[in-house]
Amino acid sequence: MALVLSGRKYARVVRASLRQRVSELQGQLPGLTVIIVGENPASKVYVAAKEKACVKVGFNSNVISLPAEVTQSEILAIVDKLNADDSVHGILVQLPLPEHISTDLIAAAVLPEKDVDGFHPVNVGRLWRGEQGLFPCTPSGIVSLLHHHNIPLSGKNALIVGRSNIVGKPMAALLLRENCTVTVAHSRTVDLKQRCAEADILVVAVGRAEMIKKDWVKPGAVVVDVGMNRRSDGKLVGDVDYDDVSPVCSAITPVPGGVGPLTIAFLLENTFKARNSLLAD
Ligand code: GUN
């Protein structure tokens, strides 16, 4: 039977370690400010969870809620003010933004040293160049989870299904930094099933409920499921058919309780890291 890679348990370990490190800090507490625009119910839930997690580890947390009609220049002015505010170490603009706002423009306005999402082009460059920087939370959490379980990565064939800027692409860069041989597959990939079946490490982030079945998975592979889908019967499932796949793989992340809880834990890690580098300057 496969090893269950519980992100829920590991996120607790990460948060306990952060609480400890916060309690030992001299001077300023880490401070995160989240900007949320409009009334997207899922975004509201995520932002509330981020705020709660900050408070629990002893960070300062601030949420700026803006109406959906806010202009791009109004958001930019707020970001500029936060960039200049020494008590703010992390700035996160919750996505998606309304259509009249350019996500790329806002991402590029955040000071790279406060960009705890790792979405600024400077941080993307640092990630691919193998430099120090702030990198996207979900992929960072996944690599850390694999290390926590002593899963060897160097020299392994890693296949990432999905090429988003939030998960797929940064996941590829991070696994390359771990010396994996990395392939990124996507909706136009020919022979996807065959590609999946050749992977030692399979990371799936496509948003298609239970798409990956056991005959898509190499026996003994490590399977990471970033999906979060609501099945027609109401059950929350990943992109991997867990019951089908878990008997053939060596390790697998469940849904829920796998990758999901790591995103916020690593947002906290990024905020802590941003605070330390800003104060070291
Ligand atoms: N919306 C969904 N996921 C994310 C994320 O990782 N960061 C931000 N800022 N918004 C999101």
Side-chain angles (χ1 to χ4, degrees), residues 50 92-95 117 119 166:
K50 286 168 186 175
L92 181 147
V93 182
Q94 185 66 28
L95 304 180
D117 256 330
F119 293 167
I166 296 184

Side-chain angles (χ1 to χ4, degrees), residues 140-241:
S140 299
I142 291 170
V143 170
S144 191
L145 176 73
L146 297 176
H147 282 318
H148 177 71
H149 287 280
N150 296 314
I151 290 173
L153 298 176
S154 184
K156 301 295 182 189
N157 287 326
L159 178 74
I160 298 142
V161 190
R163 55 176 158 180
S164 72
N165 288 325
I166 296 184
V167 179
K169 282 187 239 172
M171 189 76 250
L174 284 173
L175 288 175
L176 192 56
R177 287 174 73 133
E178 296 294 326
N179 301 310
C180 287
T181 302
V182 177
T183 305
V184 182
H186 46 78
S187 52
R188 308 282 174 91
T189 297
V190 176
D191 293 335
L192 179 62
K193 180 177 170 184
Q194 184 53 35
R195 294 285 187 154
C196 288
E198 288 162 5
D200 303 309
I201 316 269
L202 178 61
V203 181
V204 192
V206 289
R208 295 251 239 113
E210 300 176 309
M211 180 182 96
I212 306 290
K213 307 287 181 190
K214 68 167 180 279
D215 54 341
W216 291 53
V217 175
K218 181 175 173 176
V222 173
V223 178
V224 177
D225 189 350
V226 190
M228 179 74 86
N229 316 286
R230 185 75 62 184
R231 230 169 43 181
S232 50
D233 63 359
K235 192 174 180 231
L236 206 54
V237 296
D239 294 345
V240 176
D241 186 333

